[in-house]
């Protein structure tokens, strides 16, 4: 028996695409299309009248694009939103503006292209319906400087120390919150975020512009160095390896693990085997359980492990499973994880 249906409002300037989405998504027994809107102004009226649970939002629209619409909408009426776009930069801007997730607009070349797109979108709508979308609040002033502010940027760490981070839904912004203020000589960081090809490179470039550390998309045999963040490439598993010179990564195609490539479990298992007690593992917001078994293995080999708490997770799935399985040494709100990393490095 299917419970209450998820009410979806489709926002897209193409009548043909709106009709196709409405027809295809309505076939899912858990989804009800409560309405469609042709532009942001129309969407605002429909949101008030129809009270949808989830929006699907085109980014490239006339009058007001989807990102500007999100910036206007989210402070007033935070609704879980899946952005539909063909442009990686737009997707990342939309996530920063408050979207829960995105899907890549399909280029229909074969009979399965549209079918796979609809399947992916329907899955993400279901996840979004459980997501926690919060109004942006002004940052509260700290009574004392944070650890990241107090530590010298010139402090050196052991070359054996390494940090591994895994995330999914809501993770692009969560990862940024964790790493943006880490000092330039922080030990190397390896990250798996569930993200498609091309989008992963743009995400790494965005982190590189914002963070004090440098950041790049993973390439096979990249060295893991102090001050460097490496983000797994879409559709490539990332594993940690070690030789006489130190840590490096293997970035290779492979079968999906837990439904994902790259997979957090693949990374965490390799970090447990190669780095053990010299590693810190962090599991952030995301649907499902990818990374939970891997972080358990990391903890068993002596790694210090951190899980994002429920209150600050967009989707409390991956960190919840890791916590329930005993893989998390400490569970923390998102804004405290960066300081906890540095505290552990400096013990």
């Amino acid at each position: 028996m299917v419970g209450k249906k998820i009410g979806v409002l489709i926002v897209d300037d193409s009548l043909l695409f709106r009709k196709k989405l409405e027809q295809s998504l309505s076939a899912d027994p858990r989804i009800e299309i409560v309405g469609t809107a042709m532009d942001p102004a129309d969407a605002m009226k429909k949101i008030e009248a129809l009270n949808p649970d989830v929006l699907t939002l085109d980014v490239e629209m006339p009058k007001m694009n989807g990102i500007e619409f999100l910036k206007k909408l989210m402070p007033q009426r935070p609704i879980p939103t899946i952005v539909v776009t063909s442009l990686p930069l737009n997707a990342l801007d939309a996530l920063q503006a408050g979207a829960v997730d995105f899907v890549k607009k399909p280029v229909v070349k074969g009979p399965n292209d549209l079918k796979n797109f609809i399947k992916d979108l329907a899955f993400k709508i279901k996840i979004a319906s459980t997501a926690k979308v919060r109004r942006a609040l002004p940052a509260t002033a700290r009574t004392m400087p944070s650890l990241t502010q107090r530590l010298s940027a010139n402090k050196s760490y052991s070359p054996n120390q390494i940090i591994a981070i895994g995330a999914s839904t809501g993770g692009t912004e969560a990862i940024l919150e964790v790493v943006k203020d880490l000092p330039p000589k922080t030990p190397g960081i390896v990250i798996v975020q569930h993200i498609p090809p091309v989008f992963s490179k743009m995400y790494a470039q965005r982190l590189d512009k914002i963070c004090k550390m440098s950041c790049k998309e993973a390439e096979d045999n990249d060295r893991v160095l102090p001050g460097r963040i490496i983000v797994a490439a879409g559709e490539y598993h990332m594993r940690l390896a070690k030789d006489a010179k130190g840590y490096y990564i293997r970035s290779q195609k492979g079968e999906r693990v837990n439904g994902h490539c790259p997979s957090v479990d693949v990374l965490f298992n390799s970090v447990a085997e190669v780095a053990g007690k010299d590693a810190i593992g962090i599991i952030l917001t995301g649907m499902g359980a990818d990374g939970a078994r891997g972080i358990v293995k990391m903890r068993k080999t002596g790694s210090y492990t951190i899980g994002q708490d429920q209150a600050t997770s967009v989707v409390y799935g991956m960190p919840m499973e890791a916590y329930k399985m005993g893989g998390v040494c400490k569970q923390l709100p998102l804004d405290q994880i960066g300081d906890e990393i540095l505290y552990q490095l400096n013990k």
Side-chain angles (χ1 to χ4, degrees), residues 95 99-102 123-124 127 165-175 191-195 203 258-260 262 264 282-291 308 314-315 317-319:
L95 294 173
V100 169
D101 210 337
F102 68 90
F123 177 69
K124 291 190 174 186
I127 294 173
I165 301 174
S168 188
T169 310
T172 55
E173 293 306 300
I175 289 166
I191 295 172
V192 166
Q193 162 71 38
H194 297 154
I195 197 168
Y203 180 58
N258 304 322
H260 300 285
V264 182
I282 301 116
I283 191 160
L284 301 175
T285 174
M287 187 71 172
D290 188 32
Q308 187 176 353
V314 173
V315 178
M318 286 162 49

CSV table of all heavy atoms in Angstrom, one decimal, residues 95 99-102 123-124 127 165-175 191-195 203 258-260 262 264 282-291 308 314-315 317-319:
chain,number,residue,atom,x,y,z
A,95,LEU,N,22.7,24.8,-6.0
A,95,LEU,CA,22.9,24.1,-4.7
A,95,LEU,C,23.3,25.1,-3.6
A,95,LEU,O,22.8,25.1,-2.5
A,95,LEU,CB,23.9,23.0,-4.8
A,95,LEU,CG,23.5,21.8,-5.7
A,95,LEU,CD1,24.7,20.9,-5.9
A,95,LEU,CD2,22.4,21.1,-5.1
A,99,ALA,N,19.0,24.7,-3.3
A,99,ALA,CA,18.4,23.5,-3.9
A,99,ALA,C,19.0,22.3,-3.2
A,99,ALA,O,20.1,22.3,-2.7
A,99,ALA,CB,18.8,23.4,-5.4
A,100,VAL,N,18.2,21.2,-3.1
A,100,VAL,CA,18.6,20.0,-2.4
A,100,VAL,C,19.5,19.2,-3.3
A,100,VAL,O,20.5,18.6,-2.9
A,100,VAL,CB,17.4,19.2,-2.0
A,100,VAL,CG1,17.8,17.8,-1.6
A,100,VAL,CG2,16.6,19.9,-0.9
A,101,ASP,N,19.2,19.1,-4.6
A,101,ASP,CA,19.9,18.3,-5.6
A,101,ASP,C,19.7,18.8,-7.0
A,101,ASP,O,18.9,19.7,-7.2
A,101,ASP,CB,19.5,16.8,-5.4
A,101,ASP,CG,20.6,15.8,-5.7
A,101,ASP,OD1,21.6,16.2,-6.5
A,101,ASP,OD2,20.6,14.7,-5.3
A,102,PHE,N,20.3,18.1,-7.9
A,102,PHE,CA,20.1,18.5,-9.3
A,102,PHE,C,20.1,17.2,-10.2
A,102,PHE,O,20.6,16.2,-9.8
A,102,PHE,CB,21.2,19.4,-9.8
A,102,PHE,CG,22.5,18.8,-9.9
A,102,PHE,CD1,23.0,18.2,-11.1
A,102,PHE,CD2,23.4,18.8,-8.8
A,102,PHE,CE1,24.2,17.6,-11.2
A,102,PHE,CE2,24.7,18.3,-8.9
A,102,PHE,CZ,25.1,17.7,-10.1
A,123,PHE,N,13.6,9.3,-8.4
A,123,PHE,CA,14.3,8.9,-7.2
A,123,PHE,C,14.8,10.1,-6.3
A,123,PHE,O,14.6,10.1,-5.1
A,123,PHE,CB,15.6,8.1,-7.6
A,123,PHE,CG,16.5,7.7,-6.5
A,123,PHE,CD1,16.0,6.7,-5.6
A,123,PHE,CD2,17.7,8.2,-6.3
A,123,PHE,CE1,16.9,6.3,-4.5
A,123,PHE,CE2,18.5,7.8,-5.2
A,123,PHE,CZ,18.1,6.8,-4.4
A,124,LYS,N,15.2,11.1,-7.0
A,124,LYS,CA,15.7,12.3,-6.2
A,124,LYS,C,14.5,13.1,-5.7
A,124,LYS,O,14.7,13.7,-4.6
A,124,LYS,CB,16.6,13.2,-7.1
A,124,LYS,CG,17.9,12.5,-7.4
A,124,LYS,CD,18.9,13.4,-8.1
A,124,LYS,CE,20.2,12.7,-8.3
A,124,LYS,NZ,21.3,13.5,-8.8
A,127,ILE,N,13.8,11.4,-2.4
A,127,ILE,CA,14.8,11.8,-1.4
A,127,ILE,C,14.5,13.2,-0.9
A,127,ILE,O,14.5,13.5,0.3
A,127,ILE,CB,16.2,11.7,-1.9
A,127,ILE,CG1,16.6,10.3,-2.2
A,127,ILE,CG2,17.2,12.3,-1.0
A,127,ILE,CD1,17.9,10.1,-3.0
A,165,ILE,N,36.8,12.3,3.3
A,165,ILE,CA,35.4,12.8,3.5
A,165,ILE,C,34.5,12.2,2.5
A,165,ILE,O,34.8,12.0,1.3
A,165,ILE,CB,35.3,14.3,3.4
A,165,ILE,CG1,36.3,15.0,4.4
A,165,ILE,CG2,33.9,14.9,3.5
A,165,ILE,CD1,36.4,16.5,4.2
A,166,GLY,N,33.3,11.7,2.9
A,166,GLY,CA,32.3,11.2,2.0
A,166,GLY,C,30.9,11.9,2.2
A,166,GLY,O,30.6,12.2,3.4
A,167,ALA,N,30.2,12.1,1.1
A,167,ALA,CA,28.9,12.8,1.2
A,167,ALA,C,28.1,12.5,0.0
A,167,ALA,O,28.6,12.1,-1.0
A,167,ALA,CB,29.1,14.3,1.4
A,168,SER,N,26.8,12.8,0.1
A,168,SER,CA,25.9,12.7,-1.0
A,168,SER,C,24.9,13.9,-1.0
A,168,SER,O,25.4,15.0,-1.1
A,168,SER,CB,25.2,11.3,-1.0
A,168,SER,OG,24.4,11.1,-2.2
A,169,THR,N,23.6,13.6,-0.9
A,169,THR,CA,22.6,14.7,-1.1
A,169,THR,C,22.9,15.8,0.0
A,169,THR,O,23.0,15.5,1.2
A,169,THR,CB,21.2,14.1,-0.9
A,169,THR,OG1,21.0,13.0,-1.7
A,169,THR,CG2,20.2,15.2,-1.2
A,170,GLY,N,23.0,17.0,-0.5
A,170,GLY,CA,23.4,18.1,0.4
A,170,GLY,C,24.8,18.3,0.7
A,170,GLY,O,25.3,19.2,1.4
A,171,GLY,N,25.6,17.4,0.1
A,171,GLY,CA,27.0,17.3,0.4
A,171,GLY,C,27.9,18.4,-0.1
A,171,GLY,O,28.9,18.7,0.4
A,172,THR,N,27.6,18.9,-1.3
A,172,THR,CA,28.4,19.9,-1.9
A,172,THR,C,28.6,21.1,-1.0
A,172,THR,O,29.7,21.6,-0.8
A,172,THR,CB,27.9,20.4,-3.3
A,172,THR,OG1,26.6,20.8,-3.2
A,172,THR,CG2,28.0,19.2,-4.3
A,173,GLU,N,27.6,21.6,-0.4
A,173,GLU,CA,27.7,22.7,0.5
A,173,GLU,C,28.2,22.3,1.9
A,173,GLU,O,28.9,23.1,2.5
A,173,GLU,CB,26.3,23.4,0.7
A,173,GLU,CG,25.8,24.1,-0.6
A,173,GLU,CD,26.8,25.1,-1.2
A,173,GLU,OE1,27.2,26.0,-0.5
A,173,GLU,OE2,27.3,24.9,-2.3
A,174,ALA,N,27.9,21.1,2.3
A,174,ALA,CA,28.4,20.6,3.6
A,174,ALA,C,29.9,20.5,3.6
A,174,ALA,O,30.6,20.9,4.5
A,174,ALA,CB,27.7,19.3,4.0
A,175,ILE,N,30.4,19.9,2.5
A,175,ILE,CA,31.9,19.7,2.3
A,175,ILE,C,32.6,21.1,2.4
A,175,ILE,O,33.6,21.3,3.0
A,175,ILE,CB,32.2,19.0,1.0
A,175,ILE,CG1,31.8,17.5,1.2
A,175,ILE,CG2,33.7,19.1,0.7
A,175,ILE,CD1,31.8,16.8,-0.2
A,191,ILE,N,38.2,13.3,-1.1
A,191,ILE,CA,36.8,13.5,-1.0
A,191,ILE,C,36.0,12.6,-2.1
A,191,ILE,O,36.4,12.7,-3.2
A,191,ILE,CB,36.4,14.9,-1.1
A,191,ILE,CG1,36.9,15.8,0.0
A,191,ILE,CG2,34.8,15.1,-1.2
A,191,ILE,CD1,36.7,17.3,-0.2
A,192,VAL,N,35.0,11.9,-1.6
A,192,VAL,CA,34.0,11.4,-2.5
A,192,VAL,C,32.7,12.0,-2.3
A,192,VAL,O,32.1,11.9,-1.2
A,192,VAL,CB,33.9,9.8,-2.4
A,192,VAL,CG1,32.6,9.4,-3.1
A,192,VAL,CG2,35.1,9.1,-3.0
A,193,GLN,N,32.2,12.8,-3.3
A,193,GLN,CA,30.8,13.3,-3.3
A,193,GLN,C,30.1,12.7,-4.5
A,193,GLN,O,30.7,12.7,-5.6
A,193,GLN,CB,30.9,14.8,-3.5
A,193,GLN,CG,29.6,15.5,-3.9
A,193,GLN,CD,28.5,15.5,-2.9
A,193,GLN,OE1,28.8,15.7,-1.7
A,193,GLN,NE2,27.3,15.3,-3.3
A,194,HIS,N,28.9,12.2,-4.3
A,194,HIS,CA,28.2,11.6,-5.4
A,194,HIS,C,27.8,12.7,-6.4
A,194,HIS,O,27.0,13.5,-6.1
A,194,HIS,CB,26.9,10.8,-4.9
A,194,HIS,CG,27.2,9.7,-4.0
A,194,HIS,ND1,26.3,9.3,-3.0
A,194,HIS,CD2,28.3,8.9,-3.8
A,194,HIS,CE1,26.9,8.2,-2.3
A,194,HIS,NE2,28.1,8.0,-2.8
A,195,ILE,N,28.5,12.7,-7.5
A,195,ILE,CA,28.3,13.7,-8.5
A,195,ILE,C,28.7,13.2,-9.9
A,195,ILE,O,29.6,12.4,-10.0
A,195,ILE,CB,29.2,15.0,-8.1
A,195,ILE,CG1,28.7,16.3,-8.8
A,195,ILE,CG2,30.6,14.7,-8.3
A,195,ILE,CD1,29.3,17.5,-8.1
A,203,TYR,N,33.0,21.4,-9.6
A,203,TYR,CA,33.0,21.5,-8.1
A,203,TYR,C,34.4,21.6,-7.5
A,203,TYR,O,34.6,22.5,-6.6
A,203,TYR,CB,32.3,20.2,-7.6
A,203,TYR,CG,32.1,20.3,-6.1
A,203,TYR,CD1,31.5,21.3,-5.4
A,203,TYR,CD2,32.7,19.2,-5.3
A,203,TYR,CE1,31.4,21.3,-4.0
A,203,TYR,CE2,32.6,19.2,-3.9
A,203,TYR,CZ,31.9,20.3,-3.3
A,203,TYR,OH,31.8,20.3,-1.9
A,258,ASN,N,27.2,0.1,-3.9
A,258,ASN,CA,26.0,0.7,-3.2
A,258,ASN,C,25.3,1.6,-4.2
A,258,ASN,O,24.7,2.6,-3.7
A,258,ASN,CB,26.5,1.5,-2.0
A,258,ASN,CG,27.3,0.7,-1.0
A,258,ASN,OD1,27.0,-0.5,-0.8
A,258,ASN,ND2,28.3,1.2,-0.4
A,259,GLY,N,25.3,1.3,-5.4
A,259,GLY,CA,24.6,2.1,-6.4
A,259,GLY,C,25.4,3.4,-6.9
A,259,GLY,O,24.9,4.2,-7.6
A,260,HIS,N,26.7,3.5,-6.5
A,260,HIS,CA,27.4,4.7,-6.8
A,260,HIS,C,28.8,4.4,-7.4
A,260,HIS,O,29.5,3.5,-7.0
A,260,HIS,CB,27.6,5.5,-5.5
A,260,HIS,CG,26.3,6.0,-4.9
A,260,HIS,ND1,25.5,7.0,-5.4
A,260,HIS,CD2,25.6,5.5,-3.8
A,260,HIS,CE1,24.4,7.1,-4.7
A,260,HIS,NE2,24.5,6.2,-3.7
A,262,PRO,N,31.7,7.5,-8.2
A,262,PRO,CA,32.5,7.0,-7.1
A,262,PRO,C,31.7,6.6,-5.9
A,262,PRO,O,30.6,7.1,-5.7
A,262,PRO,CB,33.4,8.1,-6.8
A,262,PRO,CG,32.6,9.4,-7.1
A,262,PRO,CD,31.8,9.0,-8.3
A,264,VAL,N,31.8,6.1,-1.6
A,264,VAL,CA,32.4,6.4,-0.4
A,264,VAL,C,33.1,5.2,0.3
A,264,VAL,O,34.2,5.2,0.8
A,264,VAL,CB,31.5,7.1,0.6
A,264,VAL,CG1,32.2,7.5,1.9
A,264,VAL,CG2,30.8,8.3,-0.1
A,282,ILE,N,35.4,11.4,7.8
A,282,ILE,CA,34.2,12.2,8.0
A,282,ILE,C,33.1,11.8,7.1
A,282,ILE,O,33.3,11.7,5.9
A,282,ILE,CB,34.5,13.7,7.9
A,282,ILE,CG1,35.6,14.2,8.8
A,282,ILE,CG2,33.2,14.5,8.1
A,282,ILE,CD1,36.8,14.7,8.1
A,283,ILE,N,31.9,11.5,7.6
A,283,ILE,CA,30.8,11.1,6.8
A,283,ILE,C,29.7,12.2,7.0
A,283,ILE,O,29.3,12.5,8.2
A,283,ILE,CB,30.3,9.7,7.1
A,283,ILE,CG1,29.3,9.2,6.0
A,283,ILE,CG2,29.8,9.5,8.5
A,283,ILE,CD1,29.1,7.7,5.9
A,284,LEU,N,29.3,12.7,5.9
A,284,LEU,CA,28.3,13.9,5.9
A,284,LEU,C,27.0,13.5,5.3
A,284,LEU,O,26.8,12.4,4.9
A,284,LEU,CB,28.9,15.1,5.2
A,284,LEU,CG,30.3,15.6,5.7
A,284,LEU,CD1,30.8,16.7,4.7
A,284,LEU,CD2,30.2,16.1,7.1
A,285,THR,N,26.1,14.5,5.3
A,285,THR,CA,24.8,14.3,4.8
A,285,THR,C,24.7,13.5,3.5
A,285,THR,O,25.5,13.6,2.6
A,285,THR,CB,24.1,15.7,4.6
A,285,THR,OG1,22.9,15.6,3.9
A,285,THR,CG2,25.0,16.5,3.6
A,286,GLY,N,23.6,12.7,3.4
A,286,GLY,CA,23.4,11.9,2.2
A,286,GLY,C,22.4,10.8,2.4
A,286,GLY,O,22.2,10.3,3.5
A,287,MET,N,21.7,10.4,1.4
A,287,MET,CA,20.7,9.3,1.4
A,287,MET,C,21.4,7.9,1.3
A,287,MET,O,22.4,7.8,0.6
A,287,MET,CB,19.7,9.4,0.2
A,287,MET,CG,18.6,8.5,0.3
A,287,MET,SD,17.4,8.9,1.6
A,287,MET,CE,16.1,7.8,1.3
A,288,GLY,N,20.9,7.0,2.0
A,288,GLY,CA,21.4,5.6,1.9
A,288,GLY,C,22.5,5.3,2.9
A,288,GLY,O,22.5,5.9,4.0
A,289,ALA,N,23.4,4.3,2.6
A,289,ALA,CA,24.3,3.9,3.6
A,289,ALA,C,25.7,3.8,3.0
A,289,ALA,O,26.6,3.2,3.6
A,289,ALA,CB,23.9,2.5,4.1
A,290,ASP,N,26.0,4.4,1.8
A,290,ASP,CA,27.3,4.3,1.3
A,290,ASP,C,28.3,5.0,2.2
A,290,ASP,O,28.1,6.2,2.6
A,290,ASP,CB,27.3,5.0,-0.1
A,290,ASP,CG,28.7,4.9,-0.8
A,290,ASP,OD1,29.3,3.8,-0.6
A,290,ASP,OD2,29.0,5.8,-1.6
A,291,GLY,N,29.4,4.4,2.5
A,291,GLY,CA,30.4,4.9,3.4
A,291,GLY,C,30.3,4.4,4.9
A,291,GLY,O,31.2,4.5,5.6
A,308,GLN,N,28.3,13.7,10.7
A,308,GLN,CA,27.4,14.9,10.8
A,308,GLN,C,26.1,14.6,11.6
A,308,GLN,O,25.6,13.5,11.4
A,308,GLN,CB,27.1,15.5,9.4
A,308,GLN,CG,26.3,16.8,9.5
A,308,GLN,CD,26.0,17.3,8.1
A,308,GLN,OE1,26.5,16.8,7.1
A,308,GLN,NE2,25.3,18.4,8.0
A,314,VAL,N,21.1,17.7,5.6
A,314,VAL,CA,20.0,17.8,4.7
A,314,VAL,C,19.2,16.5,4.6
A,314,VAL,O,18.0,16.4,4.7
A,314,VAL,CB,20.4,18.2,3.3
A,314,VAL,CG1,19.3,18.2,2.3
A,314,VAL,CG2,21.1,19.6,3.3
A,315,VAL,N,19.9,15.4,4.5
A,315,VAL,CA,19.3,14.0,4.6
A,315,VAL,C,20.2,13.2,5.6
A,315,VAL,O,21.4,12.9,5.3
A,315,VAL,CB,19.3,13.3,3.2
A,315,VAL,CG1,18.7,11.9,3.3
A,315,VAL,CG2,18.5,14.2,2.2
A,317,GLY,N,20.9,10.2,6.4
A,317,GLY,CA,20.9,8.8,6.0
A,317,GLY,C,22.3,8.1,6.2
A,317,GLY,O,22.5,7.3,7.1
A,318,MET,N,23.3,8.6,5.4
A,318,MET,CA,24.6,8.0,5.5
A,318,MET,C,25.2,8.2,6.9
A,318,MET,O,25.7,7.2,7.5
A,318,MET,CB,25.5,8.6,4.4
A,318,MET,CG,25.2,8.1,3.1
A,318,MET,SD,25.8,9.1,1.7
A,318,MET,CE,27.5,9.4,2.1
A,319,PRO,N,25.2,9.4,7.5
A,319,PRO,CA,25.8,9.5,8.8
A,319,PRO,C,25.0,8.8,9.9
A,319,PRO,O,25.6,8.2,10.9
A,319,PRO,CB,25.8,11.0,9.1
A,319,PRO,CG,24.8,11.6,8.1
A,319,PRO,CD,24.8,10.7,7.0
